Amino acid sequence: MSQLLRTCLFAGYFSVIVTIAVTPSVSAELFNSPVDKLPVAERVKLRNGQALVTGEKGKYTAKVLVTASPDIAWEVLTDYDNFSKFLPNTVSGKVLTVNGNQKVVEQVDTRQVFLMNVQSRIRSAITETAKTRIDFRQIDGDLQSLDGYWKIEPVAPYSGAKANQVLITQVVDAQPKSGTPKGIFYNLFKDSLAKIMIAIKKEVDRRTP
């Protein structure tokens, strides 16, 4: 059970780090934006300020719509050293090494699982393509594997208008170590994604003038 407790924790961050795709000056076409292409129920949920998480068995896609510029969304998603200030259950985040657009980042999370406070650590290799994409891959930590990316896409209010929102999308594949009950792990991980997306939205809103 201790292995389960540890592996449930990491969901805090590096389910959180990772890709952004966007061009600030791009105009999005009405009914052709990344939001308009989604099913009606999903569009309604996003436009109501809710997080959308789909997928199963460790492979998930999480989305949230924010009214902000791609610059601010990028600033929040790459603010690794300050993740503890706005991400749920995150105790610390730290950039360990930097080599051009490649970084190694470590995050420590703590939370209550089954009436116990448990701490976990995950270290990831990150490749940033400025304001376009952030890819991540676990190189050490409490999971069998973890990789994915974040993407940011502009959304305009109507055809021909300048984009005034961005759709932040996270795609992640997380698998627990051997011995961890997968069903419980997957449920906890999926639930954490929605909380993380909402936390990111709140931080983006806070930093937006």
Side-chain angles (χ1 to χ4, degrees), residues 46-188:
L46 289 171
R47 293 189 187 283
N48 284 338
Q50 299 175 309
L52 177 67
V53 181
T54 58
E56 59 181 356
K57 297 182 179 180
K59 298 180 179 181
Y60 304 109
T61 297
K63 298 177 183 289
V64 71
L65 185 65
V66 299
T67 301
S69 69
D71 286 346
I72 293 178
W74 175 270
E75 176 186 296
V76 170
L77 289 178
T78 58
D79 194 9
Y80 313 119
D81 290 332
N82 290 306
F83 278 167
S84 62
K85 295 180 179 180
F86 58 88
L87 290 183
N89 305 310
T90 299
V91 175
S92 66
K94 184 177 182 180
V95 177
L96 301 179
T97 65
V98 178
N99 182 16
N101 68 332
Q102 298 181 334
K103 299 177 180 178
V104 173
V105 176
E106 182 175 86
Q107 179 179 324
V108 177
D109 294 339
T110 185
R111 71 182 68 194
Q112 189 174 58
V113 181
F114 301 131
L115 303 180
M116 295 180 62
N117 288 321
V118 184
Q119 189 175 86
S120 66
R121 178 186 62 85
I122 190 165
R123 185 173 294 184
S124 293
I126 296 171
T127 300
E128 299 176 346
T129 303
K131 301 179 183 179
T132 302
R133 185 178 180 99
I134 308 171
D135 292 274
F136 65 94
R137 175 178 58 84
Q138 176 187 280
I139 55 177
D140 187 27
D142 295 325
L143 292 179
Q144 179 64 37
S145 63
L146 176 69
D147 60 78
Y149 64 88
W150 290 86
K151 178 171 63 176
I152 292 180
E153 300 170 281
V155 178
Y158 56 86
S159 181
K162 184 178 180 179
N164 64 347
Q165 294 180 301
V166 291
L167 177 65
I168 300 177
T169 300
Q170 177 190 176
V171 176
V172 60
D173 184 351
Q175 300 301 324
K177 287 185 176 180
S178 176
T180 300
K182 290 187 176 181
I184 296 175
F185 169 81
Y186 292 147
N187 288 337
L188 290 173

